[in-house]
């Protein structure tokens, strides 16, 4: 009957979300309650912001410590029900392993000479230099991402990401006729937190315009066709114009032949009469 599969995430050092599944033998009307406490907290606290989605229970509670805190106490969590039939479960969590940064906001792109300058907002809840960022980008003409990895002052090429410590970076040697798509996420530094959780990716931002090869293909076919049709129409028009301006001169031989032919016919008719 005890809650199973307890999992907690500490979002942006501000609040913690814990989820769990009901016990196999727990009744459908079981009303689990979550309590938490840690060293420095005078009394245990009861979580009051519950949710349930697809059979999974959840509860969210505020959890923050003063800025500059270097060590974090373990969080003890108790899940139980008022009924004695439900077995309670207690767990201790190291909060530094549960840290998940907020999604980087306000991602901006700018073209400067032959570079793309990428900048995003820094989190104001984390101590300085306790986050690094991953910037993923790719050329709109390619399916694979173009990646650079930057750690401190060392540059290392990788297959998928590049890492930077500041909240901006520049991408050199760009194709001016291509569209580039960027997104950013954050991760705690191991020297600050033991968490392996990344933030969610930021909303994709793009810069530049992708050249539509279909348009150029149609253009290459259409232009010669238009030129050929226009040439034919022009030749026909010029021929008719020439006839109007310079009508053909009759052949004198044909005129004489017709005249003498008519006289012969008249003579023959006269003889018969």
């Amino acid at each position: 009957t005890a809650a199973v599969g307890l999992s907690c995430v500490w979002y942006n050092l501000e609040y913690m979300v814990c989820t769990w599944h009901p016990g196999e033998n727990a009744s459908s009307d079981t009303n689990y309650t979550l309590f938490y406490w840690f060293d420095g907290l005078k009394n245990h606290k009861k979580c009051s912001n519950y949710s349930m989605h697809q059979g999974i229970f959840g509860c969210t509670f505020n959890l923050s410590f003063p800025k500059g805190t270097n060590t974090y106490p373990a969080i003890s969590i108790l899940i139980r029900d008022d009924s004695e039939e439900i077995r309670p479960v207690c767990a201790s969590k190291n909060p530094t392993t549960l840290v998940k940064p907020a999604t980087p906001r306000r991602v901006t792109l700018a073209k400067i000479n032959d570079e793309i300058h990428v900048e995003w907002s820094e989190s104001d809840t984390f101590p300085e230099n306790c986050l690094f960022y991953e910037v993923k980008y790719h050329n709109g003409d390619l399916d694979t991402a173009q990646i650079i990895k930057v750690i401190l002052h060392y540059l290392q090429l990788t297959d998928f990401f590049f890492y930077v410590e500041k909240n901006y970076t520049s991408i050199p040697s760009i194709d001016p006729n291509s569209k580039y798509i960027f997104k950013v996420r954050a991760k705690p530094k191991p020297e600050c937190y033991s968490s392996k959780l990344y933030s969610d990716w930021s909303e994709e931002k793009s810069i530049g315009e992708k050249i539509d090869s279909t348009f150029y293909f149609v253009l290459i076919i259409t232009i010669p066709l238009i030129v050929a049709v226009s040439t034919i129409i022009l030749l026909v028009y010029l021929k008719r114009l020439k006839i109007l301006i310079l009508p053909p001169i009759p052949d004198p031989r044909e005129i004489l032949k017709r005249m003498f032919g008519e006289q012969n016919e008249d003579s023959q008719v006269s003889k018969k009469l």
Side-chain angles (χ1 to χ4, degrees), residues 195-237:
S195 175
K196 296 181 180 180
L197 300 176
Y198 289 87
S199 74
D200 295 332
W201 285 109
S202 68
E203 181 182 355
E204 287 188 346
K205 296 285 186 177
S206 62
I207 191 170
E209 293 295 334
K210 180 181 178 181
I211 297 177
D212 190 353
S213 57
T214 305
F215 172 75
Y216 284 98
F217 178 74
V218 173
L219 202 62
I220 290 172
I221 295 176
T222 305
I223 290 177
L225 185 61
I226 292 174
V227 171
V229 173
S230 301
T231 303
I232 293 172
I233 294 173
L234 182 62
L235 290 175
V236 172
Y237 176 76

Side-chain angles (χ1 to χ4, degrees), residues 51-148:
S51 63
M52 186 175 180
H53 180 65
Q54 296 182 349
I56 301 175
F57 289 86
C59 198
T60 303
F61 55 92
N62 293 329
L63 180 65
S64 60
F65 297 91
K67 282 189 175 182
T69 302
N70 295 322
T71 58
Y72 297 91
I75 308 295
S76 296
I77 296 174
L78 171 67
I79 300 177
R80 71 177 191 185
D81 185 89
D82 293 336
S83 171
E84 294 182 356
E85 297 179 357
I86 303 300
R87 181 180 177 183
V89 62
C90 189
S92 179
K93 301 286 186 179
N94 177 359
T96 66
T97 64
L98 311 175
V99 176
K100 181 175 181 176
T103 304
R105 304 294 181 184
R106 297 192 297 276
V107 178
T108 58
L109 308 175
K111 278 187 178 181
I112 302 176
N113 297 326
D114 60 344
E115 296 183 341
I116 296 179
H117 186 80
V118 189
E119 189 171 352
W120 56 92
S121 60
E122 280 190 295
S123 172
D124 55 2
T125 60
F126 279 81
E128 188 177 357
N129 294 326
C130 277
L131 288 178
F132 68 86
Y133 298 89
E134 292 182 354
V135 178
K136 185 176 183 179
Y137 77 100
H138 66 89
N139 185 320
D141 296 327
L142 303 175
D143 295 330
T144 56
Q146 304 296 313
I147 308 303
I148 301 173

Side-chain angles (χ1 to χ4, degrees), residues 176-193:
N177 297 320
S178 293
K179 179 180 179 180
Y180 289 85
I181 300 172
F182 290 81
K183 56 184 178 180
V184 185
R185 69 178 179 179
K187 186 178 185 296
K189 285 187 177 181
E191 54 266 33
C192 297
Y193 305 98

